Amino acid sequence: MKTPLILIACLFACNQRQVSPPVVTKNAEYSKADSFLYRHQRDSAFYYFNKIVSGSKDSLLIASSYNNMAVIVADAGDYFGSQDYLLLSLRYLDERQESNFYCLSSDYNELGGTSLRLKNYDAALNYYDLAIKYAQDDVFKQIFLNNKAVVYKDQKNFSGAIAIYDTIIHKTGSDRKAYAMILSNRANVRWLKDSSYNAAQELSTALQIRTEVQDPWGQNASYAHLSDYYTSSHPDSALIYANKMYAKARELDSPDDEVQALQKLIRLSPPQHIKPYFARYQYLSDSIQTARNTAKNQYALIRYDAEKNKAENLRLQKDNANKRLQIIEQRVMIYSAIGAVVLIIFLYLKRRQQLALEAENRIRKDRLKTSQKIHDVVANGLYRMMTEIEYQSAIDKEALLDKIETMYEQSRNISYEQPAAVEDYQAEIAQLLMAFSTDKVKVIIVGNYKELWSQLNNTVKIEAKHILQELMINMKKHSQASNVVIKFEQQDNQINIQYTDDGVGLPADYKMGNGLTSTENRIKNINGKLIFATNTKKGLKIQITFPFV
C-alpha cells in the first residue's frame, strides 16, 4: 500500500527544487511532459519524455526523463520495464557531481521499490542504502529509511524494521502525518514480531491523528493494520475495520486497496455475505490486470513508434549515402538465404527421424495416460457437478446442459494429448475451489493472483488444476470439514500451495486411494513435492510445492 510520503519520493524526488538549484534545465517538451504528469495524463507525459531521451543532448535532462518514464510504467505494473529505464537513467548520471544527486537518489529509491515488488529483497536493501547515500534532504532520508524498514518487514526481519522506526520516529518534528505513519507501521511490525504485543493504543492513536489532519490514505492504511491486528482476537472488530477500509478505498478510487479490503471481508464475513464480495473481488482483479496490460502495451507502442521513425530516418540516410554497400548486403543476404535453406532441409530430415522415434514412445505412454484422463475428466468432473447441484435450491437447466455438453466434448477428445489453452486461469481456479463451498463447508482462498500463475506453462497449469480438484473431492468425500483454507504463495522460484481443513484428519493406518495416489504422481510429474503434516491435533494439512519451470 502506498503512503503519501512514498508517492512524493517516487514522483518528485528526481526534480525536487527546495534545497538546491534545479537539477535539470527544462526545455519546452520537458515542461509539457511535466504538466501532463501533474494532471495524471501519463500516456501523454510518457510520449514527451520519450521524445527528450531520443533527441536531447543534455545528460541530466535525459536521466530525469528516464526516471519519470520508469515511474509511469511501474505504476502500470511493468516492474522489469521500469528497471530497464532506471538503469538507462543511471548511465547518464555522474556520481561525482552534486547536481546529479537528487536524480541518483530517486533512481535508486525506485530500483529499491521495483526490487521489493519482485521480492528481490537483498537488491532492494542495497538500492535503498544507495538512495540514502545520495539523499541531500533529511525528509527524503526518512522516506528511504521507511522504505528499507518495509523490506525488513517483508523479510520477517522485524527487529531490523523496528530499529529503523525507533530511529526516525523522533525526527518527524511537527509533521503529524509522518509521525502517524511511522507510529502505525512500527506498532504493526511490533505485533507481527510478538503476537502478544498490545498494539491497539498506538494503532488507534495513529488513526486518530490521520483523521484529524485529514489524511485519507493514512486512514486507509490504519484500517488495514487494525483489521489485521484484531483478526484473531476480535474478529467482529476486524470485520468493522475491514468494512471501513473498503469504504475508504472506494472513496479514494484505489482498486488495489479495494482488492485488499475485499480479501479481508471474504475472510472475515459470515458465509452468507461472502458472495457479493467475491464477485466484486473477481471483477476488480480482472479490471486491474486488463488496465495494466493496456497501459503496458500503450507505452510499448509509443516507444516502438518513436524507434521506428528514428530507424526509418536513419535507413533513408544510409540508403542515400551507401548504395554500393546495400548491393553487397543484398548479395550476402541471398547467399545467407541459400545457406539457410540448405540447413533447414538438413535439419528437417533429421527432425523427421527424431519425431518418428518420439511417436513410438508416445504410443506407449498414451495407454497409461488415457485411464488417468478418464478419471480426471469424467469421474472428477461428474463429482464436481454433483457437488454444485447438491446445494442449489433451484437447478438452472441450461447451465447444467452446458456443463454436460462440455464434459461430453472433453470425453470425445480424451485421446488428444495437448490440453486446451487456459483463458483465465485465476478465475478458473477460483471457480473450481468455490464450487465446493456450501452452507456447511466454508472455502477460503488466499493468494490466487494472476501474476502467480503467469509464469507457468499450460501443461503445468492443467496438472495443478487436477491436483486441486482431487484434494477438494477428497475433502468432500472423507474430511467432514467445516472450514477449508487453500493458500497460494510464491517463494523463490517455486509455488507453494497449502491446504488446511478442520475435519477428521487421516487415521494412523491410512493408505492412499487411487485419487491421492494419482495426485502424488501428478506432483512428481511437475517436479513437485507433497507433504502431509503429522503434528496436527485435528484436521488435515497438506503442503504442495513445485517449481515454475
Side-chain angles (χ1 to χ4, degrees), residues 116-128:
L116 174 60
R117 295 183 187 103
L118 295 171
K119 300 188 183 303
N120 191 350
Y121 300 122
D122 291 338
L125 290 172
N126 181 56
Y127 286 131
Y128 283 137

Side-chain angles (χ1 to χ4, degrees), residues 421-452:
V422 180
E423 294 293 335
D424 190 344
Y425 191 72
Q426 176 205 24
E428 189 167 336
I429 289 298
Q431 183 180 10
L432 165 66
L433 298 176
M434 293 309 297
F436 293 87
S437 180
T438 68
D439 293 340
K440 296 181 180 179
V441 180
K442 181 179 180 181
V443 178
I444 300 173
I445 308 170
V446 181
N448 180 27
Y449 302 121
K450 285 192 175 182
E451 292 82 357
L452 183 73

